[in-house]
Amino acid sequence: MLRAVLWLAGLVAAGAVAIALTIAVALSVAYPNLPDISDLADYRPKLPLRVYSAEGALLGEFGEERRNLTPIGEIPQVMKDAVLAIEDTRFFQHGGVDYKGVMRAGLANLGRVKSQGASTITMQVARNVYLSSEKTFTRKIYEILLTFKLEHLLTKDQILEIYMNQIFLGNRAYGFAAASEAYFGKPLKAISIAEAAMLAGLPKAPSAYNPISNPKRARARQLYIIERMEENGFISTQEATAAKKEELKIRTGPDNTRVHAEYVAEMARQLIYAQYGNEAYTRGLNVYTTLNAAEQDAAYAALRKGIMDYERRQHYRGPEKFVALPAAAQEVEDAIDDALANHPDNGDVLSAVVLESSPRKIVAARANGDTLEITGEGLKPAQSGLSDKAPPNIKIRRGAVIRVVKTPKETWEITQLPEVEGAFVALDPRNGSIRALVGGFDFDKNKFNHVTQAWRQPGSSFKPFIYSAALEKGFTPATVVNDAPLFFDGGVTGGQPWEPKNYDGKYDGPMSLRTGLAKSKNMISIRVLQAVGPRAGQDWITRFGFDAERHPAFLTMALGAGSVTPLQVATGYSVFANGGYRVNPWLIAKVTDHKGRIISESKTPVTSEQPRAIDARNAFVMNSLLQEVTRSGTAARAQGTLKRPDLYGKTGTTNDSWDAWFAGYQPTIAAVTWIGYDTPRNLGNRETGGGLSLPVWISFMQQALKGVPVMETPVPPGVVNVGGEWFYEEYARNAGVASIGLDERTMGTSSVAPAAPPPVEERNRILELFRN
């Protein structure tokens, strides 16, 4: 018997030795093949590219992973406690593998109580950073070996810091700081016990416990984690009770508090990508733009309001879609969810599905389950769709997908997504920095940046550059020009006769250059360019940053027949605003790494060091003329609303009302508004730059000029005032051009040598000239 026991003991010992030797051999083979983890001592995860305003307001972020690298010392204790309570209570006691935890989890699982895992936080770091998720014996050995290696190389705080920044938590969020922003819209340092418990439930299964898509399961796990925090002494019974009762505000839609600067963020992304390539999306670069957040918000709101105000005047095009709504309540909810998922809200232009419809009332349901009623004035924009005689594609009926907006009176109004587009840009004319930029009605709807990419005809907003050229040819604000009809016969044009018109079809006879610009008289501008010479005019406009080849040297240039972008126009008007200097628009002020260290920084240009485009006295006299436009001319609404005299600008409406412009400035800010269709078409016979674009500019300036004192432009040397009018000194005593066109009614009898009219192909393209 004793011999049998000894044999058995020997066999057991031999087996143990064999197993130990096998493990030792396995370890000796496996250990050298372990990945080098020394780089974790200086943990650098993939960090997104973030774009900020000048004040530090987040404008956008780019990269596959949302992540905010947060040092362990900045992670709130409540978040660490919540994670430890559910993931690894004995984290600070074990050496990487929690043998007690393994035994406890095994017994708990055998006893069929709530299933428990045995992976420690260190093991999860080893697995998440270096290993695949396959469940094999070999991978488990590597995981344990890596765990020991991590515990040897790093401190507990370093391991916990990596875990809390690296773990995927759903909704593109990596790490708890990013998850706090993604789910609660708040920084990690501001979370409560209840919120920390909700986030701590995500590592196990980010999709299953996602509070947005699976609120019930997320809530159940949150309650369990709160209990675990109480059991382990992290929180008191009273705190646990309060946390269970706390109502969480989960962020389910887009962040409406963020500054709307999607076009600017995309511009910055392109600039940074051109410099850094794909590394731009992983290095954690922070890009600080020149944008002013408050002014950007004002620009965004002003342009959208201007476009929606225009949309209210358009005919109703009908619902976006029709869906069949079943009778059962739950099925109706599902059908509405499916329909609105493909027709998401567009800012404050919300989508809804009609439940009931009559000429006097519409009842509609939103995606969040809310029901709203539209009555009275709110039905007016869609009267044609409520008529009994409405065509099927226009008729508003049960199942129609419609758009609604809230009115200032807190009532609902039916509307539609606009087809028209717009652009707004504001520069600091003293240095060229971009302070606000909105490239279109909505970035998600149309990513084409109309500020920088839309080449459009500027119409009468281009006239000031022609008048500027005329000042150098002896013209003065007092020069009298005949506002009389002009006619080009076929012998002159080489084709069909060409007869330009004033916007209103009326001719007021002789008037001063000042009055001609204020009233935007086309005949005045044509005669001025005729006297200056189209070729000289073409050369002059390049001083303001315009491309000569896009402005053919024909008389049509006097009425804005060329092509410009809104950014070019803003740059051109900045020359008048700053006293004659050419500035180049710029956007990026500085770039830092994820620790805030400056990588590159732009030096703010000094105006006087910029190239001079025009003489200071030319800019001064043009200021005087453009001030008249905002005082008594086509933009008189500007000074009338803003109640300040230091406003300057010019309206512009192109042929057939295809484009509506207003370009203007105050000495500290130059801004341009454009509204039109991407495929040019008539905006409406009564739609002008003064009616469409000027209100947008005024709305923006109400914000941008708050607290800005009224500024008077100093009179430069060489300019004198005679009889209340400004003159170049050498032209003050009738030495300049006193008058033109007073004795002629046709081009052929002009006292000034006629300039060549457009060739046939040019004439056919712009046969009818541009107005106002």
Side-chain angles (χ1 to χ4, degrees):
M1 183 67 181
L2 180 61
R3 181 177 293 179
V5 171
L6 290 174
W7 268 101
L8 182 61
L11 287 172
V12 170
V17 170
I19 292 171
L21 287 172
T22 302
I23 293 175
V25 171
L27 292 178
S28 64
V29 172
Y31 200 85
N33 293 323
L34 291 177
D36 180 14
I37 63 172
S38 59
D39 58 340
L40 279 187
D42 184 20
Y43 174 60
R44 293 182 181 181
K46 290 181 179 180
L47 297 173
L49 167 69
R50 290 189 173 91
V51 181
Y52 297 91
S53 71
E55 309 87 349
L58 182 63
L59 306 180
E61 59 181 345
F62 303 91
E64 294 180 5
E65 302 176 1
R66 293 177 180 168
R67 194 194 307 270
N68 294 322
L69 183 57
T70 309
I72 192 67
E74 296 178 17
I75 298 174
Q77 190 62 44
V78 66
M79 189 69 253
K80 290 185 278 191
D81 290 343
V83 168
L84 294 174
I86 191 62
E87 294 294 334
D88 193 353
T89 309
R90 300 186 63 254
F91 173 71
F92 285 99
Q93 282 77 51
H94 62 67
V97 177
D98 186 5
Y99 303 106
K100 290 183 180 179
V102 170
M103 295 177 61
R104 185 178 62 251
L107 292 172
N109 294 340
L110 285 174
R112 297 198 172 189
V113 298
K114 186 179 285 288
S115 177
Q116 295 182 15
S119 287
T120 64
I121 283 176
T122 312
M123 293 169 73
Q124 291 184 57
V125 169
R127 181 166 63 243
N128 291 331
V129 176
Y130 290 108
L131 302 175
S132 68
S133 58
E134 62 177 345
K135 295 182 178 180
T136 64
F137 181 72
T138 302
R139 199 225 59 173
K140 196 66 178 177
I141 290 177
Y142 273 100
E143 182 180 310
I144 293 173
L145 291 175
L146 269 175
T147 297
F148 291 143
K149 197 171 183 179
L150 285 170
E151 289 278 345
H152 175 72
L153 179 70
L154 306 177
T155 67
K156 287 288 188 179
D157 275 348
Q158 285 178 306
I159 294 169
L160 187 59
E161 179 181 291
I162 294 168
Y163 176 81
M164 299 197 77
N165 281 284
Q166 179 72 22
I167 195 76
F168 176 62
L169 300 171
N171 210 26
R172 283 180 55 215
Y174 288 77
F176 288 93
S180 180
E181 294 282 358
Y183 293 110
F184 302 123
K186 61 165 62 175
L188 187 63
K189 63 183 179 182
I191 63 168
S192 64
I193 294 173
E195 290 166 336
M198 181 69 79
L199 294 180
L202 290 165
K204 182 177 181 181
S207 59
Y209 297 113
N210 187 314
I212 296 174
S213 56
N214 289 303
K216 291 182 180 178
R217 293 186 68 181
R219 170 67 172 161
R221 184 155 176 82
Q222 177 213 28
L223 294 175
Y224 172 63
I225 292 173
I226 292 172
E227 292 172 359
R228 293 276 297 163
M229 292 177 75
E230 181 186 359
E231 289 172 11
N232 286 279
F234 291 129
I235 58 175
S236 66
T237 301
Q238 292 80 5
E239 288 174 321
T241 302
K244 289 178 180 179
K245 292 179 180 178
E246 182 179 333
E247 187 175 340
L248 302 187
K249 294 180 180 178
I250 306 296
R251 217 173 88 183
T252 57
D255 184 4
N256 292 321
T257 62
R258 180 178 290 186
V259 177
H260 283 284
E262 294 84 355
Y263 291 96
V264 173
E266 174 60 15
M267 289 172 65
R269 182 198 69 79
Q270 292 178 16
L271 290 169
I272 296 300
Y273 180 79
Q275 186 172 358
Y276 295 97
N278 288 328
E279 278 193 356
Y281 308 131
T282 59
R283 287 182 57 179
L285 299 177
N286 298 307
V287 181
Y288 291 88
T289 66
T290 58
L291 228 64
N292 178 286
E295 290 175 11
Q296 178 66 23
D297 280 338
Y300 175 82
L303 183 63
R304 281 185 67 100
K305 183 180 185 301
I307 289 176
M308 290 308 297
D309 286 346
Y310 169 79
E311 194 60 46
R312 288 186 184 91
R313 300 191 290 272
Q314 309 312 301
H315 70 277
Y316 186 62
R317 296 184 293 273
E320 294 179 17
K321 186 180 180 181
F322 296 94
V323 295
L325 295 182
Q330 183 57 50
E331 293 179 6
V332 168
E333 289 182 11
D334 293 341
I336 290 173
D337 288 344
D338 291 341
L340 298 185
N342 296 319
H343 296 267
D345 295 341
N346 188 291
D348 55 354
V349 183
L350 311 179
S351 58
V353 176
V354 174
L355 301 177
E356 302 172 25
S357 176
S358 73
R360 294 187 175 182
K361 183 173 75 171
I362 291 176
V363 179
R366 295 266 297 120
N368 60 7
D370 290 349
T371 300
L372 52 90
E373 289 188 1
I374 310 171
T375 58
E377 292 290 317
L379 298 174
K380 278 192 174 181
Q383 279 298 315
S384 59
L386 294 170
S387 169
D388 292 335
K389 297 179 181 178
N393 63 319
I394 301 295
K395 181 73 174 175
I396 299 174
R397 58 183 184 272
R398 179 176 168 83
V401 177
I402 62 171
R403 295 281 169 170
V404 297
V405 292
K406 213 161 199 177
T407 70
K409 296 180 180 179
E410 293 296 308
T411 60
W412 290 103
E413 178 181 87
I414 191 168
T415 187
Q416 55 193 347
L417 280 178
E419 293 181 344
V420 75
E421 271 295 353
F424 185 92
V425 60
L427 306 178
D428 186 330
R430 298 165 295 186
N431 55 44
S433 59
I434 296 175
R435 289 170 55 170
L437 186 151
V438 186
F441 178 76
D442 184 83
F443 183 77
D444 291 331
K445 177 172 170 276
N446 186 351
K447 292 177 171 56
F448 184 78
N449 189 336
H450 297 83
V451 168
T452 60
Q453 296 176 291
W455 290 94
R456 306 295 291 225
Q457 293 169 325
S460 293
S461 67
F462 199 72
K463 289 177 180 176
F465 305 108
I466 303 302
Y467 280 57
S468 172
L471 295 180
E472 300 303 310
K473 297 290 187 179
F475 280 72
T476 73
T479 299
V480 176
V481 186
N482 193 10
D483 178 32
L486 286 168
F487 178 76
F488 299 82
D489 60 31
V492 176
T493 66
Q496 296 179 358
W498 177 48
E499 189 174 8
K501 306 280 187 185
N502 280 329
Y503 168 64
D504 57 7
K506 298 177 182 178
Y507 304 92
D508 296 335
M511 64 179 63
S512 69
L513 203 69
R514 176 180 293 277
T515 302
L517 184 62
K519 291 186 175 182
S520 197
K521 290 290 189 176
N522 288 343
M523 300 306 106
I524 304 294
S525 295
I526 292 173
R527 283 189 165 92
V528 168
L529 182 57
Q530 176 191 4
V532 169
R535 191 68 64 186
Q538 182 191 46
D539 180 65
W540 186 261
I541 65 168
T542 61
R543 294 167 174 258
F544 298 88
F546 297 108
D547 305 322
E549 63 274 15
R550 292 183 181 269
H551 300 270
F554 304 120
L555 291 180
T556 50
M557 182 171 54
L559 306 179
S563 295
V564 299
T565 66
L567 186 59
Q568 275 191 333
V569 177
T571 304
Y573 273 75
S574 292
V575 174
F576 296 138
N578 66 29
Y581 294 95
R582 169 83 177 275
V583 294
N584 292 314
W586 58 290
L587 178 64
I588 295 179
K590 69 177 179 180
V591 179
T592 70
D593 64 14
H594 70 280
K595 292 185 177 180
R597 294 174 297 207
I598 295 176
I599 297 174
S600 64
E601 189 169 14
S602 300
K603 181 183 177 182
T604 302
V606 178
T607 306
S608 59
E609 296 176 359
Q610 301 304 301
R612 180 169 281 285
I614 59 176
D615 193 75
R617 59 182 188 169
N618 188 300
F620 178 84
V621 174
M622 285 307 305
N623 282 346
S624 175
L625 292 174
L626 291 170
Q627 187 180 40
E628 190 68 38
V629 177
T630 65
R631 187 186 70 83
S632 65
T634 56
R637 186 174 176 180
Q639 290 195 35
T641 302
L642 294 172
K643 307 297 183 186
R644 55 189 300 155
D646 57 341
L647 302 175
Y648 315 80
K650 183 70 185 74
T651 54
T653 311
T654 63
N655 182 46
D656 288 333
S657 295
W658 281 3
D659 302 271
W661 294 81
F662 184 75
Y665 57 92
Q666 188 269 352
T668 64
I669 189 164
V672 171
T673 307
W674 166 84
I675 292 176
Y677 289 99
D678 278 342
T679 301
R681 70 175 198 250
N682 188 276
L683 287 163
N685 292 331
R686 297 183 179 180
E687 303 293 353
T688 66
L692 266 179
S693 294
L694 177 59
V696 174
W697 188 90
I698 290 173
S699 178
F700 168 80
M701 285 296 189
Q702 286 175 323
Q703 168 64 39
L705 297 180
K706 278 184 178 178
V708 178
V710 172
M711 299 179 66
E712 288 188 12
T713 305
V715 182
V719 175
V720 295
N721 191 290
V722 178
E725 187 58 272
W726 296 104
F727 296 86
Y728 284 10
E729 194 169 16
E730 63 268 32
Y731 301 140
R733 300 290 182 263
N734 297 321
V737 178
S739 66
I740 60 170
L742 298 187
D743 60 344
E744 47 93 6
R745 291 185 56 81
T746 67
M747 187 74 79
T749 60
S750 171
S751 59
V752 180
V760 175
E761 60 271 19
E762 177 71 9
R763 176 192 53 73
N764 288 337
R765 186 173 71 86
I766 46 174
L767 184 58
E768 292 185 14
L769 285 181
F770 301 78
R771 59 197 187 190
N772 194 28

